[in-house]
Amino acid sequence: MRTRFLCGVIAIASSIGAAGTSGLNAAVVVIQSSSFVLRQDAQESIYLYPTLGFQSTSYNGTTSAIKLTAGANGLQASDEHTGRVASLTPYGSFATKFASDSLIESSDFTGSDVIKYLYQPGGGVKNQFTLGGSSGYIGFSFVDSSSLTHYGWARVSVRDALAGIVPTPSYEMTLYEWAYETVANTAIAAGAVSSIPEPAADSALAGLGVLGLCWLRRKKR
């Protein structure tokens, strides 16, 4: 997991319908979720459908998705069809917590477990998300209809839900928003709302700048 900071990128968002999906002039599509809460005592789940651009409490069994669950064993993120949640060995059954602007790319998916825990009671240091801690990002990937891989992020937090009220501890997970990169095989920065500029494009802009300086110098002679 590497970190890269984005600067000088301007994204113009336009609203698409009441489902809360925003399309940007860059290649990243951001899904607004209005702080959807999953409670362990209610055994709740939600599916994120990157290719379709929405989230749902039901799954059709064939579309690439990520499943978030507050279940009996803890708070989980799991793979559905070609969807994959980022995790690293030796803790392949625990979701990686990405800091803002950290790159999410192919090397972040070495864990082979289908279910990855965000928080598991008794998980200790394996839990990269902590109860009552600040929100963080999980990374995911999915394969589109052309068999090409895309990457995305989801911002979440975990906390005690009903501690001291019910006989056994209960936990909850909050999903704030999520996004995916529409350009295949392209890393995405956690929390980014626009694509990472391509190095070739940066070089071309630098070259134009040099040409401009040369033109001004010649004109002054």
Side-chain angles (χ1 to χ4, degrees), residues 18-103:
T21 303
S22 297
L24 305 184
N25 65 337
V28 171
V29 175
V30 178
I31 311 299
Q32 302 296 332
S33 66
S34 301
S35 299
F36 191 91
V37 178
L38 300 170
R39 296 175 66 96
Q40 187 187 30
D41 57 305
Q43 303 287 292
E44 295 175 316
S45 297
I46 188 170
Y47 298 87
L48 312 185
Y49 288 89
T51 53
L52 302 179
F54 72 93
Q55 60 200 42
S56 173
T57 54
S58 61
Y59 180 57
N60 62 19
T62 59
T63 304
S64 180
I66 305 301
K67 181 182 181 182
L68 301 180
T69 304
N73 294 325
L75 306 175
Q76 309 165 356
S78 56
D79 308 339
E80 297 293 339
H81 195 45
T82 61
R84 298 291 181 268
V85 178
S87 64
L88 299 172
T89 52
Y91 299 150
S93 59
F94 288 80
T96 300
K97 181 180 181 180
F98 292 84
S100 178
D101 294 318
S102 297
L103 285 190

Side-chain angles (χ1 to χ4, degrees), residues 1 35 56 82 90 96-97 109 125 144-145 147 158 166 168 194 204:
M1 183 171 66
S35 299
S56 173
T82 61
T96 300
K97 181 180 181 180
F109 295 82
V125 296
D144 64 19
S145 58
S147 298
V158 302
V166 294
T168 57
S194 59

